[in-house]
């Protein structure tokens, strides 16, 4: 009787296992020892899988057993030591590893899943009845160890939910045909006109004439300054025009009556509004590693009868290839430079040789400060322009330099002058030819400037219809002049690819399938899984986005709001701005309004006139915080209710910064003297938001000077190297005390290189 009962139980549990096996896991059993896989759910490139799998974070599975230990009642308790032996043997079987691979589990996922399954089985007080029975069978010799696989696979899919939705994820991130995303643009036949030419050739002028004469139009520019210039010009010529930037809205008629013409920054371009004429300026920026996606979106998505694009000749081939996917053709209009540009045969050599109308172009704030002070020490007034300055300050410095009646005849600037400012420059002098850049992997590199950059900057000399119609260009150092001539003798390199970027909708779909993943992790997975037509497109760098996502990962925010916050235009090298970004996100997450009082309290308003470079840098950071507030106020109006007060305060701050820049030499002297704004002494290192170094004295040795001049060593690196060598008991003769430097991110790899050279 007992044997009959045992046989019935055994038969019943075998039937239960068979049902679960067939319905729950996609496996069938021809016999106990030969498992057969049904048609695969998906197939993936093995190399790609290996790279991507590490991005999927395992979900913790709690060993919460059934309320009643049914398995033990049916077949008795399991011996944990024997169970562990079976699990280890199961994980080591070659056949099981092959089955895992065929079901989407590569070696990394297998290791993670095996570990989780082992812990689950050992730590659970009561295993599910089917799992309990299959282990009992194996222990009693009535089952085969491979019978565990269906239950292991079920567990693995719980630990890694993406195994069940990989096909969906790959469909969401299929970016091979971005032209099809814009059905309204594809529904019309657009006329594409490419205005091709170098700087100062009038290409943008001709496109703008068509824009101003149209019934409706949109101008898409790379900078707020350019969009504002078009807005002002259009309204002055009697064409009502609205201005739309990330931080500002202005109206040619009124807020309730939109104008037919819009001037906007390219990221703010509407792809839902029809226009007669659209102008996309600086189209070569479509290849930009960070912002290229915005030009791609505008070029593919604008609903306009005519789309006029302006830029370098190197963009033509790429645009023609993209238009083949849209069924459109490109009409090319070529322009020659309107004024003569001469490359001089001798380098400047010394700042004693600076002449009226000269613009010294530097690629770091440190060089800006050094050169500005040295020129003013020679009794010449200097206008200063660099990327971190507010738009109003840039315009004021440009106006001072352009005014023939003003005593300021020399400018010191970064490559920020390459776009967005009308400058009357006689000669461009390249202080160096190397600058930090960001590669496609998001890594900082120091390299010679590109042909495109050299031509763009040099072309600012000799502007049409100014006092200096014949332009000149040279280098500061004689050893750079040969390289400069070589760069300027070439045509811009052809563009190969246009940028793309994941949209909020795509990331939300990813989050639906992977609810336990962070936003940063979702972006990583998307970029690694996405399918892109490499012959035309590339995925833009997402490091800045991920940096902000990781900063606010612990702040409870809805996914859409989190995505928008992470799109904010923030310089992540400015800790003060980043800390304010985090405070604002926390306040928003509590559903508490971010008021003007909040900004005043956290930014130390009212602000005083700067007395040192540190004060000036802090004021620039506060200006960026106000920009952040205004940018968010157009996206979350309810919780950023005082944009008008912030904008008024920002205008006052712009004027304060202008006064500070006008007196930049005095600020530099105060900084070197170690005098704080309140008259007390200060330590450069204690100001965490400062990104630029103190100015060095002249005690550096030849090697140090050469490395700094070539851009292979920054003051920040030198400071860190000094610490390392001091720690090793090595006397370093060429040592200097610098503050924090904006190039610290480059220090790691360069230090290793220099250490290797020192050992040799």
């Amino acid at each position: 009787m007992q044997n009959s009962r045992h046989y019935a139980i055994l038969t019943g549990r075998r039937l239960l296992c068979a049902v679960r096996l067939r319905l729950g896991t996609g496996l069938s059993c021809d016999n106990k020892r030969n498992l057969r896989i049904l048609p695969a759910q998906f197939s993936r490139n093995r190399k790609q899988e290996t790279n991507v799998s590490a991005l999927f974070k395992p979900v913790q599975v709690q060993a919460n057993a059934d309320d009643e230990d049914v398995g033990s009642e049916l077949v008795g308790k399991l011996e944990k030591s024997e169970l562990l032996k079976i699990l280890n043997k199961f994980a080591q079987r070659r056949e099981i590893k092959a089955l895992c691979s065929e079901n989407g589990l590569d070696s990394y996922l297998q290791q993670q899943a095996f570990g989780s399954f082992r812990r689950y089985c050992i730590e659970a007080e009561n295993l599910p009845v089917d799992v309990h029975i299959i282990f009992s069978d194996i222990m009693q010799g009535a089952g085969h160890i491979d019978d565990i696989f269906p239950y292991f696979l079920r567990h693995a899919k719980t630990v890694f939910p993406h195994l069940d939705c990989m096909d969906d994820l790959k469909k969401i991130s299929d970016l091979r045909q971005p032209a099809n995303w814009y059905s309204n643009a594809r529904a019309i036949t657009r006329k594409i006109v490419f205005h091709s030419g170098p700087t100062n050739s009038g290409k943008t002028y001709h496109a703008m004439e068509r824009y101003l004469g149209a019934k409706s139009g949109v101008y898409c520019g790379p900078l707020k300054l350019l969009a504002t210039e078009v807005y002002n010009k259009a309204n002055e010529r009697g064409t009502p025009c609205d201005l739309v930037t990330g931080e500002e809205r202005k109206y040619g008629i009124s807020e309730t009556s939109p104008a037919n013409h819009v001037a906007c920054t390219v990221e703010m371009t509407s792809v839902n509004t029809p226009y007669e004429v659209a102008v996309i300026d600086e189209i070569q920026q479509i290849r930009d590693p960070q912002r290229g996606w915005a030009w791609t979106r505008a070029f593919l998505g604008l609903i306009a009868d005519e789309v006029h694009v302006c830029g370098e000749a190197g963009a033509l081939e790429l645009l023609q290839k993209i238009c083949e996917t849209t069924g459109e053709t490109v009409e090319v209009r070529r322009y020659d430079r309107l004024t003569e540009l001469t490359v001089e045969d001798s380098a400047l050599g010394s700042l004693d040789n600076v002449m009226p109308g000269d613009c010294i172009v530097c690629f770091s704030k440190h060089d800006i400060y050094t050169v500005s002070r040295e020129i003013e020490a020679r009794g010449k007034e200097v206008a200063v322009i660099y990327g971190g300055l507010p738009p109003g300050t840039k315009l004021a410095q440009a106006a001072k330099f352009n005014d023939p009646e003003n005593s300021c005849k020399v400018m010191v600037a970064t490559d920020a002058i390459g776009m967005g400012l009308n400058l009357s420059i006689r000669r461009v002098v390249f202080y160096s030819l190397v600058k930090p850049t960001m590669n496609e992997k998001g890594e900082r590199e120091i390299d010679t400037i590109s042909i495109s950059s050299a031509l763009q900057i040099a072309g600012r000399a000799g502007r049409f219809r100014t006092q200096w119609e014949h332009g000149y260009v040279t280098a500061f150092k004689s050893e750079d002049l040969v390289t400069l001539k070589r760069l300027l003798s070439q045509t811009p390199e052809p563009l190969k690819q246009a940028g793309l970027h994941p949209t909020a909708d795509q990331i939300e779909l990813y989050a639906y399938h992977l609810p336990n993943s962070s936003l940063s992790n979702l972006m990583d997975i998307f970029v690694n899984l996405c399918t892109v037509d490499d012959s035309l497109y590339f995925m833009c760098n997402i490091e800045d986005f991920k940096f902000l996502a990781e900063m606010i990962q612990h702040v409870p925010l809805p996914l859409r709001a989190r995505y928008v916050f992470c799109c904010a235009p923030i310089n992540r090298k400015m800790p003060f701005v980043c800390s304010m970004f985090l405070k604002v996100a926390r306040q928003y997450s509590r559903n508490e309004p971010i008021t003007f009082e909040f900004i005043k309290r956290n930014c130390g308003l009212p602000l005083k006139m700067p007395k040192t470079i540190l004060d000036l840098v802090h004021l620039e950071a506060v200006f960026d915080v106000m920009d952040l507030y205004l940018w968010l106020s157009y996206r979350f109006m309810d919780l950023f209710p005082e944009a008008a007060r912030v904008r008024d305060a920002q205008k006052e701050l712009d004027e304060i910064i202008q006064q500070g820049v006008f007196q930049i030499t005095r600020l530099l002297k105060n900084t070197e003297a170690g005098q704080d704004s309140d008259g007390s002494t200060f330590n450069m290192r204690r100001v965490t938001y400062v990104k630029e170094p103190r100015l060095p004295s002249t005690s550096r040795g030849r090697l140090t000077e050469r490395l700094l001049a070539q851009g292979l060593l920054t003051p920040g690196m030198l400071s860190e190297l000094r610490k390392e060598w001091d720690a090793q008991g090595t006397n370093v003769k060429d040592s200097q005390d610098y503050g924090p430097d904006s190039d610290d991110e480059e220090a790691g790899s360069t230090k290793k290189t220099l250490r290797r050279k020192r050992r040799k």
Side-chain angles (χ1 to χ4, degrees):
M1 185 72 179
Q2 188 174 1
N3 290 338
S4 299
R5 181 172 179 272
H6 176 74
Y7 177 79
I9 292 173
L10 190 61
T11 303
R13 71 190 185 199
R14 294 273 171 79
L15 179 61
L16 174 64
C17 288
V19 171
R20 286 185 181 273
L21 205 60
R22 290 180 180 276
L23 297 182
T25 64
L27 295 173
S28 68
C29 280
D30 292 338
N31 56 60
K32 289 286 182 185
R33 298 183 183 276
N34 296 297
L35 291 174
R36 176 171 58 85
I37 307 295
L38 293 177
Q41 204 171 10
F42 51 83
S43 60
R44 296 173 59 195
N45 178 278
R46 297 299 176 206
K47 183 177 180 181
Q48 182 192 36
E49 180 179 359
T50 302
N51 294 334
V52 175
S53 61
L55 299 174
F56 292 99
K57 308 301 180 185
V59 176
Q60 297 300 318
V61 180
Q62 299 296 327
N64 53 336
D66 297 335
D67 293 337
E68 297 182 5
D69 192 358
V70 178
S72 294
E73 291 182 11
L74 289 173
V75 295
K77 291 283 187 180
L78 299 177
E79 180 63 40
K80 294 292 184 179
S81 59
E82 290 297 317
L83 179 57
L84 184 58
K85 291 178 183 178
I86 292 172
L87 288 167
N88 289 336
K89 184 179 178 182
F90 170 77
Q92 294 168 5
R93 281 183 58 75
R94 187 181 304 170
E95 295 84 355
I96 295 300
K97 292 180 180 179
L99 285 170
C100 287
S101 295
E102 293 178 21
N103 282 268
L105 287 155
D106 65 6
S107 57
Y108 170 81
L109 297 178
Q110 287 178 36
Q111 183 181 9
Q112 297 289 318
F114 280 140
S116 176
F117 187 59
R118 186 184 297 113
R119 286 191 301 272
Y120 174 80
C121 293
I122 296 299
E123 294 174 5
E125 293 184 10
N126 304 323
L127 285 172
V129 61
D130 52 352
V131 178
H132 189 112
I133 289 173
I134 205 68
F135 279 123
S136 176
D137 275 0
I138 295 169
M139 289 178 183
Q140 295 176 24
H144 190 273
I145 196 168
D146 289 351
D147 294 347
I148 301 171
F149 183 76
Y151 308 98
F152 164 75
L153 185 59
R154 181 177 66 190
H155 180 88
K157 289 183 177 180
T158 305
V159 174
F160 293 107
H162 76 276
L163 293 172
D164 266 336
C165 61
M166 184 62 79
D167 282 348
D168 290 334
L169 295 178
K170 292 176 74 175
K171 287 177 183 176
I172 295 167
S173 53
D174 186 346
L175 310 180
R176 287 174 294 183
Q177 296 179 319
N180 294 342
W181 302 347
Y182 308 100
S183 56
N184 291 333
R186 301 290 78 78
I188 63 175
T189 302
R190 304 186 306 173
K191 178 181 179 181
I192 310 294
V193 182
F194 180 38
H195 299 264
S196 168
T199 304
N200 212 352
S201 62
K203 56 185 183 297
T204 305
Y205 168 82
H206 288 91
M208 290 305 303
E209 287 299 302
R210 180 68 188 95
Y211 164 84
L212 293 171
K215 295 178 182 177
S216 63
V218 59
Y219 168 85
C220 314
L223 301 170
K224 287 183 285 186
L225 279 175
L226 282 172
T228 303
E229 181 183 338
V230 170
Y231 162 80
N232 291 330
K233 182 183 294 185
N235 285 296
E236 287 169 5
R237 290 194 34 180
T239 302
C241 180
D242 293 343
L243 174 68
V244 179
T245 71
E247 300 81 15
E248 189 173 19
R249 306 288 186 277
K250 288 184 178 179
Y251 303 95
I253 303 173
S254 70
E255 186 173 351
T256 57
S257 180
N260 291 331
H261 287 71
V262 177
C264 64
T265 46
V266 66
E267 285 87 353
M268 302 304 296
T269 303
S270 170
V271 292
N272 298 312
T273 307
Y275 300 99
E276 182 182 351
V277 171
V279 176
I280 307 175
D281 208 358
E282 305 293 350
I283 190 63
Q284 69 273 5
Q285 292 295 317
I286 202 170
R287 66 167 166 210
D288 185 83
Q290 278 75 42
R291 299 177 64 202
W293 62 269
W295 275 265
T296 305
R297 173 178 172 271
F299 185 68
L300 290 174
L302 275 167
I303 310 170
D305 297 330
E306 297 179 22
V307 178
H308 293 254
V309 292
C310 309
E312 297 174 357
L316 176 58
E317 185 178 347
L318 176 60
L319 296 181
Q320 288 174 329
K321 289 181 179 178
I322 291 176
C323 283
E324 288 176 7
T325 69
T326 64
E328 297 165 328
T329 57
V330 181
E331 176 186 329
V332 183
R333 299 179 186 175
R334 292 183 171 86
Y335 303 86
D336 295 322
R337 184 176 169 86
L338 297 173
T339 60
E340 191 175 349
L341 181 66
T342 302
V343 182
E344 296 184 336
D345 292 326
S346 59
L348 189 69
S350 168
L351 294 177
D352 292 330
N353 300 324
V354 169
M355 300 173 63
D358 280 356
C359 176
I360 316 298
V361 177
C362 308
F363 294 112
S364 74
K365 274 191 186 179
H366 172 255
D367 288 344
I368 288 279
Y369 296 153
T370 303
V371 173
S372 300
R373 183 182 176 185
E374 291 296 321
I375 292 175
E376 293 210 343
R378 289 162 169 77
K380 298 175 182 177
E381 192 175 345
V382 176
V384 177
I385 292 177
Y386 52 86
L389 292 176
T393 303
K394 289 178 184 174
L395 290 172
Q397 291 288 298
K400 180 175 79 165
F401 175 73
N402 288 340
D403 185 358
E405 305 300 321
N406 197 290
S407 58
C408 175
K409 303 297 182 184
V410 180
M411 172 170 286
V412 179
T414 63
D415 52 345
I417 66 163
M419 289 185 292
L421 289 168
N422 293 320
L423 298 169
S424 180
I425 298 172
R426 174 186 171 273
R427 178 172 62 175
V428 167
V429 179
F430 285 85
Y431 191 67
S432 76
L433 293 176
V434 295
K435 66 171 292 188
T437 57
M438 192 81 72
N439 65 20
E440 64 275 5
K441 297 179 181 178
E443 301 164 340
R444 286 176 64 83
E445 296 177 341
I446 295 181
D447 201 358
T448 304
I449 60 173
S450 66
I451 297 168
S452 175
S453 295
L455 290 167
Q456 188 82 23
I457 297 167
R460 306 299 289 181
R463 186 172 178 82
F464 186 57
R465 291 179 179 171
T466 67
Q467 59 177 323
W468 311 112
E469 286 210 347
H470 188 143
Y472 298 86
V473 59
T474 189
F476 179 76
K477 297 184 283 287
S478 57
E479 58 265 31
D480 285 342
L481 191 55
V482 174
T483 304
L484 179 60
K485 286 184 175 181
R486 177 176 56 81
L487 291 171
L488 297 180
S489 66
Q490 301 178 61
T491 56
E493 52 271 30
L495 274 61
K496 301 297 184 184
Q497 297 170 310
L500 297 174
H501 193 277
T503 66
D505 291 337
Q506 289 167 331
I507 296 302
E508 278 190 335
L509 286 171
Y510 255 54
Y512 172 78
H513 290 292
L514 303 171
N516 297 296
S517 297
S518 67
L519 178 56
S520 175
N521 190 220
L522 289 171
M523 291 292 285
D524 267 334
I525 295 170
F526 186 99
V527 169
N528 281 274
L529 276 185
C530 70
T531 309
V532 177
D533 182 354
D534 292 335
S535 67
L536 293 177
Y537 302 103
F538 70 95
M539 181 58 65
C540 282
N541 185 275
I542 59 169
E543 291 307 308
D544 287 347
F545 186 100
K546 284 174 55 186
F547 176 84
L548 297 181
E550 288 163 5
M551 186 188 303
I552 61 173
Q553 182 173 330
H554 63 285
V555 179
L557 292 169
L559 181 68
R560 177 69 67 146
R562 189 182 301 276
Y563 181 96
V564 172
F565 263 82
C566 294
C567 290
I570 290 178
N571 183 352
R572 62 172 173 165
K573 293 188 295 181
M574 300 182 71
F576 177 75
V577 181
C578 291
S579 66
M580 284 298 297
F581 172 76
L582 181 57
K583 289 180 181 179
V584 168
R586 286 174 176 158
Q587 184 95 338
Y588 178 91
S589 71
R590 295 190 291 266
N591 204 34
E592 297 175 4
I594 295 85
T595 62
F596 183 62
E597 290 301 319
F598 175 91
I599 298 296
K600 284 177 61 177
R601 183 172 65 253
N602 285 281
C603 293
L605 272 64
L607 296 163
K608 297 182 292 184
M609 193 69 67
K611 295 187 177 181
T612 68
I613 285 295
L614 303 186
D615 293 340
L616 181 62
V617 172
H618 178 61
L619 293 180
E620 292 169 9
V622 173
F623 190 95
D624 285 352
V625 170
M626 293 181 176
D627 256 356
L628 171 64
Y629 184 100
L630 296 173
W631 191 90
L632 290 169
S633 72
Y634 284 107
R635 290 148 181 87
F636 307 106
M637 295 182 182
D638 292 344
L639 291 182
F640 292 84
E642 298 188 276
R645 295 186 66 187
V646 171
R647 183 170 284 106
D648 289 341
Q650 193 182 44
K651 290 177 181 176
E652 295 178 10
L653 176 56
D654 196 341
E655 294 176 1
I656 293 174
I657 292 174
Q658 286 180 38
Q659 295 303 313
V661 175
F662 283 140
Q663 306 172 52
I664 196 165
T665 296
R666 183 173 63 82
L667 302 187
L668 291 168
K669 289 179 179 178
N670 290 345
T671 303
E672 286 190 322
Q675 179 181 355
D676 209 344
S677 55
D678 61 1
S680 61
T681 59
F682 63 87
N683 182 342
M684 293 271 306
R685 299 182 190 280
R686 70 178 170 84
V687 188
T688 58
Y689 51 79
V690 175
K691 304 304 291 180
E692 291 300 325
R694 288 175 65 180
L695 292 174
S697 66
T698 58
S699 64
R700 292 194 299 260
R702 293 181 181 177
L703 175 62
T704 308
E705 292 284 1
R706 193 161 66 250
L707 291 171
L708 285 168
Q710 294 173 357
L712 299 176
L713 180 67
T714 68
M717 297 177 198
L718 184 62
S719 179
E720 293 195 28
L721 286 168
R722 178 192 174 194
K723 293 177 186 176
E724 287 190 10
W725 292 338
D726 286 346
Q728 297 170 9
T730 305
N731 289 325
V732 182
K733 185 176 181 180
D734 295 327
S735 62
Q736 274 295 330
D737 182 22
Y738 294 100
D741 186 82
S742 62
D743 295 317
D744 282 349
E745 294 176 20
E746 305 155 22
S749 60
T750 306
K751 283 190 298 180
K752 294 176 183 176
T753 304
L754 293 176
R755 284 203 298 270
R756 285 197 298 269
K757 291 181 179 179
R758 185 165 57 86
R759 292 192 191 105
K760 295 178 182 177

